[in-house]
Amino acid sequence: MDQSMQAAQKRFNAAAADFGTRLREAKDRLAEARRNVENPSSALQEYAAEQFRTGQAGPELRAIQQAVDNGTASWPDLMRGHGDPALVALVRDRGATIVEACRRIVDQHRGDPDTRTFTSTAW
């Protein structure tokens, strides 16, 4: 291997090691953030599900909640991009709508202006 190839290999190895370090650090930060997130109460989750079920939070959320209710989907799977491709696409395409609906539901349910906990977990 000539000198230029050795230098290129050395830079690649250094970049790969740096990437590995940064990826591990990011995964650690994500794990820490997940440990610190408070899940919504079961009462709030049921209140939200009822809002979704009845269509009060919009037709997109009603379709998603119907799939969750009949067992063909789950909120965690859909939020991770797993499950029925049409529902996954709906969740991705309507993310802002879902967050806004969650904010309104939290406001209605608790009268609490700090909606970060509920909207950040979104089940």
Side-chain angles (χ1 to χ4, degrees), residues 72-83:
T72 59
S74 74
W75 279 103
D77 284 345
L78 292 172
M79 298 303 274
R80 286 189 294 263
H82 302 288

Side-chain angles (χ1 to χ4, degrees), residues 76-93:
D77 284 345
L78 292 172
M79 298 303 274
R80 286 189 294 263
H82 302 288
D84 179 270
L87 290 175
V88 169
L90 187 58
V91 167
R92 285 190 180 140
D93 292 345

Side-chain angles (χ1 to χ4, degrees), residues 9-93:
Q9 183 67 40
K10 202 175 206 181
R11 284 192 308 272
F12 174 79
N13 290 341
D18 184 53
F19 174 78
T21 299
R22 290 176 188 269
L23 181 60
R24 280 188 299 281
E25 290 170 353
K27 285 181 178 181
D28 289 346
R29 285 192 308 271
L30 179 60
E32 179 69 21
R34 285 183 174 155
R35 282 191 295 274
N36 293 330
V37 170
E38 180 184 326
N39 286 320
S41 69
S42 60
L44 181 55
Q45 288 184 38
E46 185 51 41
Y47 181 79
E50 188 58 30
Q51 295 287 308
F52 297 167
R53 218 174 265 124
T54 61
Q56 293 178 48
E60 298 93 355
L61 289 170
R62 183 174 188 203
I64 295 167
Q65 188 62 48
Q66 285 174 336
V68 170
D69 287 346
N70 66 26
T72 59
S74 74
W75 279 103
D77 284 345
L78 292 172
M79 298 303 274
R80 286 189 294 263
H82 302 288
D84 179 270
L87 290 175
V88 169
L90 187 58
V91 167
R92 285 190 180 140
D93 292 345

Side-chain angles (χ1 to χ4, degrees), residues 41-48 51 102-112:
S41 69
S42 60
L44 181 55
Q45 288 184 38
E46 185 51 41
Y47 181 79
Q51 295 287 308
C102 291
R103 284 186 178 135
R104 283 192 316 270
I105 289 167
V106 167
D107 289 345
Q108 291 168 0
H109 184 72
R110 297 191 299 189
D112 182 359

